[in-house]
Amino acid sequence: EAQVLLEPYYREHPANYQVAMVLARLYLMSGSPEEADQILRSIHVLPYEGAYEGRVLYRATKLILALEALESNQIPQAKRYVNESQLWPENLGVGKPYDSQINTAWEDTISDWIKMARSGKKVPKSDVDEMRDQIMKRFYEFREEAPF
């Protein structure tokens, strides 16, 4: 229901990044990460101290897209999404912290799975599903502290 209300408003007011973020969040939560990704590429979040929500949403979206591509055996796309998940786009309003503060465990695991898939091995669906659940759980538990 919220999507139905927000979509027309966002189309008329695309500069309203707060509405855009809520809509992108709803798309991701409802299983439409492509739509969330499209919004995240087009919005411009005003930078402010603690502006991590856009980055958390961006990372979760890219990792979910990577898992979907991996499951569909679209290996180059999966790798591209993993690489993109590690970027810190300026349009999302937060700068990249020191590398030592960034946890890349999910990206590393998915990259290992991509290598497995390239060598002809199948990644167990249960592992992919568990990873998806972990990503979404972390996304749902987002708080204002630095969630890297």
Side-chain angles (χ1 to χ4, degrees):
E1 284 184 55
Q3 281 177 233
V4 174
L5 295 172
L6 289 175
E7 286 170 342
Y9 184 86
Y10 176 63
R11 278 193 298 273
E12 291 181 27
H13 305 92
N16 187 328
Y17 72 85
Q18 290 104 341
V19 170
M21 294 278 280
V22 171
L23 189 55
R25 177 182 283 262
L26 289 170
Y27 281 136
L28 181 60
M29 291 167 51
S30 65
S32 300
E34 298 86 3
E35 286 85 357
D37 189 40
Q38 184 176 2
I39 289 174
L40 292 171
R41 282 185 271 125
S42 65
I43 65 172
H44 294 281
V45 177
L46 296 175
Y48 63 92
E49 188 69 32
Y52 300 114
E53 183 179 9
R55 171 65 180 129
V56 170
L57 182 55
Y58 176 84
R59 182 182 184 216
T61 298
K62 294 296 185 177
L63 291 175
I64 294 299
L65 287 168
L67 291 175
E68 288 182 357
L70 182 63
E71 286 181 309
S72 301
N73 205 33
Q74 298 172 341
I75 305 307
Q77 291 90 334
K79 183 64 177 164
R80 180 175 56 96
Y81 287 130
V82 169
N83 290 340
E84 290 175 357
S85 76
Q86 296 178 59
L87 300 176
W88 292 75
E90 287 184 27
N91 68 305
L92 297 178
V94 65
K96 182 179 177 184
Y98 295 110
D99 287 341
S100 62
Q101 295 177 305
I102 301 172
N103 182 345
T104 61
W106 291 331
E107 289 86 350
D108 297 343
T109 299
I110 297 171
S111 292
D112 289 344
W113 291 346
I114 289 169
K115 289 174 190 168
M116 283 177 55
R118 282 187 175 147
S119 69
K121 296 179 183 172
K122 185 83 171 140
V123 178
K125 181 168 176 25
S126 60
D127 291 353
V128 174
D129 290 344
E130 183 179 335
M131 170 78 67
R132 182 181 291 107
D133 290 346
Q134 289 175 10
I135 292 166
M136 292 306 292
K137 181 178 184 222
R138 179 72 172 113
F139 170 70
Y140 287 137
E141 292 176 350
F142 171 73
R143 302 289 184 269
E144 285 298 317
E145 71 270 4
F148 312 125

